[in-house]
Amino acid sequence: MAPTDPRPRVRGRGALLGSVAGLVGVVVASTLPWLDPEFRLSAPTRWAMGVAGAAVLAVAAHARADRRWTGIRSVPTLGVALGVAMLAYPVLMSVAAAGLGGPGTELAAAAFHVVPLTLVQLIPVLAASRVSGRRHRRWETAVIATAGVSAVATGLGLLVLPQVTALLVVGQLTWFGGFVLAPAGAWSAVRGAAGEARRRAVVAGLAAPLPPAVIGWCLLVAALGTSLGWSDDSAVTGLLLGYSVGCAAAAGLAMVAVGPSASGLLTVRAVVAALHTLLAVLAVIVGLAVALMATSLDLPAPAALAVGAGATALVALPWMSLQAWIRRVVDPAREFADAIAADGNGPDEARAAVALQVLRDIVQDPTLALCWRVDDETWVDTDLEPVPALGFVDPVDLARDGDGRATVRAHPGTAAVRSRLTALGDCSAVLRPALLQIRVARELIRADAAAERERERLRQDLHDGLQGRLLGLALHLQLSGAELDDPTARLLVAETVGSLRDLVHDVRALGGGSLPEVLVHGGLPAALPVLLDPVAALVDLRLTPQRFEASLEATAYFIVGEAVSNALKHAAAARIQVDVTGPDPGPDGRRLSVVVRDDGRGGADPRLGTGLRRLAERVAGHGGVLLVRDNEAGGTVVEAVLPCGS
């Protein structure tokens, strides 16, 4: 076994030590006196900021050292930079508030929030573009450029041209605009992505709006608290706590987006839950904003809170009604699965056709075609017609087997249809029943073809073998009978020759896949007496005069023939009773009953004879039951019950 590489473990320990050292630095800096008269930030708040930064640094550094993140190292690298910046921010604030370092330190402390907030906007955009396979960097460039313009405009407005207030306005507008760019850039990567890549892009998209959402939440809580009589520093405390929580949560989600596939946080259920959580946060933010506006109208605090709660409920109602839409955002194939399930009461043999029609409706292409892999080298269309393996130009694979080989392919007609099909992702689970139906139908066609070839062989064998021998025997008897002097003997020979010729006719009919003419035209009342005529002295026949459908009569005909033949050949029966009755009422409708009793040796076992076994299969094919048992008075009873309609 290859030796384990110790470097990831060493780097992981280094990340943990770096996080602890940074947190210790924050705690030490918070012991400095706070001399800033404009606002006061408590030491526990700065500790909380340090804890958030240390957590981001530890997670990002560990991810960067883990080989499973090797393909997307840029996101953990930016995460490390974000963690360091988040740890440095409370230290700078403490040093500046203590009056150490002069104006430069004060300026750095006042403007340093731009660094972590720019990084936390850039990380989700970068993660979304990487996991979706898009290599262009226009959104990353836009985020960096917006932050740069904001910093330059604000710096000029504060330090160089304080009389030009427009610079400060431009700086603020571009700064807040950056918070819109990041979600737009991250969610743009979701469009066109499929499967796990889409879920990763959604997770990255959830990370992008988290910092402004959490900051807004904390600011609104602080502002509402101030209006209700809290301290004036509560707004600053809420702002910085929201900044810390938002940055840490966004960085964590971005690491999940580029993390190992085995993560349980990348399942459809987990991603949907995360999306619901974000929507819930936004609903509460709306409620807090409404409550704050209500307090500005001099409403009492309980009334303002009630108004805010009502606003939250109003926002939550449409959100709750969008459950199916939210799931489709994360898993576009859900719409396909739901539509297939809606047709679940249809016949099994129509599953492939239903899947094709549903897909056509979803992608809005009535000419869309599907092909299905039925074995290693054979593809067929939905009508089971063979399709060349390379017959579809640039197809979209909708389903794969356990070895990763395509099993269902679509042939899109346009680029728009291709994009919609690609967004469905892996539909293997949805299409598995339809694929099974196609394969079963294909096997039935092959089995029917093989059976037809076997019937053709049997027809040829009957024609060349048994039929010729029977005709030869009849001719031999006819010639021999002409030389007999006894008129009675000549009559018996003539009757035997006639029976042999009738038998040849029946063999010819059966060999051709048809039934004896007497059965076709006269039914059981005409055919059974003819069949049993050679042994009429041994057989008592009781027969219903009613006609039934042809396949039912054929089954009853062969049951009687096989049972009587077995009784004479194997049981040495002296008497045979044949009863064909019906239609008799039964629990599932009317039934035709065929019973053959003999007084022979008994002990018949349908498992040991191919004739009875084939009869049992034939009876089962009609939905009936064949029973073979010993008679109490001796001999064997063969009984078949066949449904014949209600």
Side-chain angles (χ1 to χ4, degrees), residues 250-261:
L253 283 177
M255 297 304 151
V256 170
V258 299
S261 298

Side-chain angles (χ1 to χ4, degrees), residues 527-600:
L528 285 181
V530 173
L531 174 67
L532 301 175
D533 182 66
V535 292
L538 304 177
V539 177
D540 296 327
L541 175 62
R542 289 186 294 187
L543 182 62
T544 178
Q546 186 168 337
R547 291 294 305 270
F548 301 92
E549 62 176 282
S551 62
L552 201 65
E553 290 184 332
T555 300
Y557 180 86
F558 289 121
I559 290 171
V560 172
E562 181 70 20
V564 171
S565 175
N566 286 343
L568 294 174
K569 288 192 299 182
H570 304 301
R575 297 298 303 172
I576 302 172
Q577 176 70 46
V578 177
D579 294 303
V580 180
T581 60
D584 301 319
D588 300 321
R590 299 198 298 172
R591 305 174 301 174
L592 172 65
S593 176
V594 180
V595 181
V596 179
R597 297 181 179 88
D598 66 66
D599 60 356

Side-chain angles (χ1 to χ4, degrees), residues 73-208:
R73 296 288 294 275
S74 55
V75 174
T77 299
L78 286 180
V80 170
L82 174 62
V84 172
M86 291 176 67
L87 284 169
Y89 190 25
V91 173
L92 272 175
M93 294 179 69
S94 298
V95 172
L100 303 176
T105 304
E106 293 181 7
L107 179 61
F112 193 78
H113 64 280
V114 173
V115 176
L117 287 177
T118 300
L119 288 172
V120 84
Q121 293 175 66
L122 189 60
I123 288 173
V125 176
L126 186 64
S129 64
R130 293 301 179 269
V131 298
S132 62
R134 300 180 182 180
R135 296 301 178 186
H136 54 73
R137 299 190 177 186
R138 62 174 182 268
W139 287 105
E140 295 96 312
T141 303
V143 170
I144 295 173
T146 301
V149 170
S150 174
V152 170
T154 303
L156 289 175
L158 290 175
L159 302 177
V160 181
L161 300 170
Q163 68 277 12
V164 183
T165 57
L167 288 173
L168 293 176
V169 174
V170 170
Q172 292 298 314
L173 289 177
T174 53
W175 174 244
F176 287 109
F179 287 109
V180 177
L181 281 177
W187 280 98
S188 69
V190 175
R191 187 177 62 254
E196 183 178 298
R198 185 181 183 89
R199 295 195 296 274
R200 290 178 180 274
V202 169
V203 171
L206 291 174

Side-chain angles (χ1 to χ4, degrees), residues 351-565:
R351 285 174 175 170
V354 169
L356 175 60
Q357 187 57 51
V358 169
L359 270 179
R360 286 175 172 176
D361 294 340
I362 290 176
V363 302
Q364 300 175 3
D365 181 4
T367 64
L368 181 72
L370 293 180
C371 62
W372 315 75
R373 183 194 291 273
V374 292
D375 56 41
D376 289 341
E377 299 180 355
T378 307
W379 290 81
V380 298
D381 61 17
T382 307
D383 295 325
L384 301 177
E385 295 296 329
V387 175
L390 301 177
F392 280 5
V393 179
D394 199 14
V396 175
D397 294 340
L398 295 176
R400 296 181 178 275
D401 60 15
D403 296 328
R405 299 178 303 173
T407 54
V408 183
R409 283 177 169 168
H411 179 45
T414 64
V417 173
R418 167 176 295 280
S419 177
R420 287 191 285 268
L421 285 170
T422 303
L424 292 177
D426 186 5
C427 300
S428 299
V430 181
L431 290 171
R432 190 173 294 119
L435 178 62
L436 178 61
Q437 176 247 310
I438 286 287
R439 289 181 172 177
V440 169
R442 175 72 174 179
E443 287 302 315
L444 287 176
I445 291 176
R446 294 175 61 181
D448 288 344
E452 180 58 33
R453 290 193 297 271
E454 181 65 15
R455 283 193 293 269
E456 180 62 30
R457 185 188 67 79
L458 288 174
R459 282 196 292 267
Q460 192 65 36
D461 290 346
L462 288 173
H463 180 273
D464 296 341
L466 180 60
Q467 181 178 324
R469 293 178 63 186
L470 289 174
L471 284 173
L473 180 59
L475 180 59
H476 180 71
L477 284 174
Q478 185 176 0
L479 293 175
S480 300
E483 299 177 358
L484 294 175
D485 296 330
D486 188 349
T488 303
R490 286 200 303 270
L491 180 61
L492 288 174
V493 169
E495 290 178 353
T496 303
V497 170
S499 297
L500 284 173
R501 293 187 183 278
D502 291 339
L503 182 58
V504 168
H505 180 76
D506 289 346
V507 168
R508 184 181 294 116
L510 292 173
S514 59
L515 298 171
E517 287 188 12
V518 65
L519 178 62
V520 173
H521 297 295
L524 292 174
L528 285 181
V530 173
L531 174 67
L532 301 175
D533 182 66
V535 292
L538 304 177
V539 177
D540 296 327
L541 175 62
R542 289 186 294 187
L543 182 62
T544 178
Q546 186 168 337
R547 291 294 305 270
F548 301 92
E549 62 176 282
S551 62
L552 201 65
E553 290 184 332
T555 300
Y557 180 86
F558 289 121
I559 290 171
V560 172
E562 181 70 20
V564 171
S565 175

Side-chain angles (χ1 to χ4, degrees), residues 41 44-50 52-53 56 82 86 89 93 113 116-117 120 179 207-223 233-251 278 281 285 288:
L41 190 64
T45 302
R46 284 173 277 169
W47 298 343
M49 295 171 64
V56 171
L82 174 62
M86 291 176 67
Y89 190 25
M93 294 179 69
H113 64 280
L117 287 177
V120 84
F179 287 109
L210 263 184
V214 177
I215 290 172
W217 186 356
C218 294
L219 275 177
L220 287 171
V221 170
D233 294 333
S234 58
V236 177
T237 300
L239 171 65
L240 293 176
L241 287 177
Y243 144 83
S244 302
V245 174
C247 288
L278 177 61
V281 170
I285 288 176
L288 290 172

Side-chain angles (χ1 to χ4, degrees), residues 32-45:
L32 297 173
W34 190 277
L35 304 178
D36 191 336
E38 295 184 2
F39 74 96
R40 183 172 184 82
L41 190 64
S42 66
T45 302

